[in-house]
Amino acid sequence: MIWYPYVQMKTMKQPYNIVDAEGVYLYTKEQKLIDSVSSWWSVIHGYKNPALNEAIKGQLDRFAHVMMGGLTHEPVQKLSARLEEWLPGDLDYCFFSDSGSVAVEVALKMALQFNINRGSKRNIVLSLEHAYHGDTFKTMEVGDDEDYHAILTKKKGVFHIPTEIPALEEAFKKHGEEFYCFIVEPLLQGAGGMRMYDISFLKRARELCDQYDVLLIFDEVATGFGRTGNRFVADLVLPDILVLGKALTGGYIGHAATVANHRIFDGFYSDNPDHALMHGPTFMGNALACSVALKSIELFENGRYLDRIKKIERITRREMEGFADPRIRQVRIMGGCVCVELKDRADLKGYQEFAYQRGVFSRPFLNYMYAMVPYVIEEEQLVQVLKCMRDWFLV
C-alpha cells in the first residue's frame, strides 16, 4: 500500500489517477487537467518534452548510474562545468545530491564544518519565520512551520526572525558573533505560505553577513530557474552557498546541487583528512539526472524563459491584481507565482474538486490557493487557471 505525503491516510480522499501527461496537461481516464502547480513547482518545460526525453534515452543507452565514490563520468563533469559557467560570482563548486531537502542538509553541514575547520565555535543558525527548507531533521529544525514540523517541539541552535530589516539588524547586533550561517528562501517563501518580501532585506543581510563573518545560504530549490521572475535571486544578491533542485532537471528526476564559493571550498581543501566533507548520497551525480539537467538548462536559455515568465506575470496581474472578496486576506503575485491567501482555511474546502471539474489540477494547502504554472503555458490556458481561481468565490 502506498503511504501518501502530507495527509492523514485514514481520512484522505482518493488521489487522481494519472494515465498520461503531455505539455501542461495531466490526463486521467475521465479528465484533461492543466497542471497549475507544475508537480510541486518542478516541471517548468511541461510533460513529455521531446528534448528532455531524448537526453534521458541517449544516456540510458550508455549507463543509468554509477557511484561518485572513486568514479566519475562525462554528464556530471559537464553539468558541474555548466553550472560553474552559468551561476553568478564565484559559485563554482558543485556537490550533488538526490533531493532539495538533502541539498539543504549538505549546505548546513558545509557551513558548520567550515567554521569547525577554521577553529570557530559558532553554533547558531539564523533563519526566517515561516521558513520551509524540507522535511529531513536539520531542515525541519531551521524551518518554522508547525503545520509540517510539529513533531519537533524543541529546536536548539536556531534563531528565527521576520523578513524585516530592523529585526535582522537587531539579531546580528545581539548574536552576530554566534551565527555560523543565515539561511533564507530568497524573495519568495514557498510552503510557508507563498510569502513575498523585498530585495532590500537580502541586500542588508549580505552586508551584515560580511560584517559579522557569517555565511549566507540561499535555498533556491523553489525560487531558482525563474520562479521569482529572476533567473536566480543569487543574480541580484550573491550568497556563499546556493541550493538548487526541483526545476534543475525540468522535473524529470530527483536531483539537487549545493554550490559553494571558493572561500567555502578552500576551507575544506587541506592535508588534514578531518577537514574533508564526509557526505555522499548514493545517487549524487546520477548520469540520467545530469544529462537531463544539461538539456533543461539549454531549453531555459534558448527558449527565452525569462521573457515567458514576464508574460505569465503580466497576464496574472491583469487577471488577478485587485481581485477582492470578503474571504480573501491578500492576493500576492511575483514572477511565475500567484497566491490567494484566505482568512479561513475552511473556505478552501472542496476547491480541488471544483478545479478538477473545470479542467485544472490544483493543490491548495492550509488557507492558500496558488498557482505556479509550467513556463510553456499558453495565454488561454493560463487564463483558464486564473478564472478557475476567481470563480471559486462566485459559488
Side-chain angles (χ1 to χ4, degrees), residues 15-72:
Y16 304 122
N17 188 34
I18 301 304
V19 297
D20 198 1
E22 186 169 6
V24 299
Y25 289 106
L26 301 170
Y27 294 88
T28 68
K29 287 183 178 180
E30 299 82 18
Q31 187 63 293
K32 174 183 177 182
L33 304 166
I34 299 172
D35 182 1
S36 72
V37 297
S38 306
S39 275
W40 271 332
W41 329 333
S42 64
V43 183
I44 60 174
H45 310 293
Y47 296 94
K48 211 182 291 183
N49 181 285
L52 298 184
N53 286 2
E54 284 305 312
I56 292 276
K57 292 174 183 176
Q59 180 57 42
L60 189 58
D61 286 339
R62 292 185 286 274
F63 60 90
H65 177 68
V66 296
M67 63 187 282
M68 291 292 291
L71 301 173
T72 191

Side-chain angles (χ1 to χ4, degrees), residues 16-279:
Y16 304 122
N17 188 34
I18 301 304
V19 297
D20 198 1
E22 186 169 6
V24 299
Y25 289 106
L26 301 170
Y27 294 88
T28 68
K29 287 183 178 180
E30 299 82 18
Q31 187 63 293
K32 174 183 177 182
L33 304 166
I34 299 172
D35 182 1
S36 72
V37 297
S38 306
S39 275
W40 271 332
W41 329 333
S42 64
V43 183
I44 60 174
H45 310 293
Y47 296 94
K48 211 182 291 183
N49 181 285
L52 298 184
N53 286 2
E54 284 305 312
I56 292 276
K57 292 174 183 176
Q59 180 57 42
L60 189 58
D61 286 339
R62 292 185 286 274
F63 60 90
H65 177 68
V66 296
M67 63 187 282
M68 291 292 291
L71 301 173
T72 191
H73 53 81
E74 186 179 39
V76 76
Q77 292 167 347
K78 284 186 173 180
L79 180 57
S80 183
R82 187 73 181 92
L83 289 172
E84 180 180 348
E85 171 193 50
W86 206 46
L87 295 176
D90 64 342
L91 291 167
D92 292 341
Y93 294 96
C94 300
F95 189 98
F96 294 105
S97 53
D98 44 11
S99 74
S101 182
V102 173
V104 173
E105 293 275 357
V106 171
L108 295 167
K109 187 173 179 177
M110 274 183 184
L112 178 61
Q113 189 175 341
F114 173 83
N115 279 278
I116 291 172
N117 284 359
R118 65 178 181 165
S120 171
K121 295 184 179 179
R122 296 172 180 242
N123 59 2
I124 299 177
V125 176
L126 180 61
S127 183
L128 297 178
E129 292 178 359
H130 309 292
Y132 176 88
H133 296 287
D135 296 325
T136 51
F137 266 78
K138 191 64 181 177
T139 61
M140 287 196 295
E141 196 168 64
V142 299
D144 182 47
D145 195 324
E146 62 184 24
D147 291 291
Y148 294 96
H149 306 148
I151 62 169
L152 271 188
T153 55
K154 294 182 179 180
K155 299 184 178 185
K156 297 179 180 179
V158 182
F159 192 86
H160 290 99
I161 60 169
T163 53
E164 300 166 0
I165 290 178
L168 173 71
E169 292 176 335
E170 183 68 16
F172 272 93
K173 182 179 179 181
K174 287 185 176 180
H175 303 287
E177 304 295 338
E178 301 171 75
F179 297 144
Y180 65 87
C181 70
F182 181 23
I183 183 168
V184 301
E185 298 161 273
L187 295 187
L188 172 64
Q189 294 180 277
M194 305 299 166
R195 299 169 188 270
M196 302 169 187
Y197 60 96
D198 192 75
I199 191 66
S200 60
F201 179 88
L202 296 175
K203 289 179 177 178
R204 185 62 179 135
R206 179 70 273 178
E207 293 171 351
L208 289 167
C209 284
D210 290 340
Q211 179 182 339
Y212 286 87
D213 196 17
V214 175
L215 301 181
L216 181 59
I217 301 172
F218 278 8
D219 174 357
E220 293 220 49
V221 170
T223 62
F225 298 94
R227 192 54 72 179
T228 67
N230 307 285
R231 193 182 66 145
F232 303 99
V233 184
D235 290 329
L236 307 180
V237 175
L238 189 65
D240 299 293
I241 301 174
L242 175 65
V243 185
L244 303 175
K246 290 191 182 293
L248 176 64
T249 66
Y252 264 57
I253 302 179
H255 205 224
T258 305
V259 189
N261 66 15
H262 287 236
R263 181 182 177 221
I264 302 294
F265 181 81
D266 290 346
F268 290 80
Y269 196 72
S270 168
D271 292 322
N272 185 346
D274 292 338
H275 286 181
L277 179 62
M278 300 302 289
H279 205 92

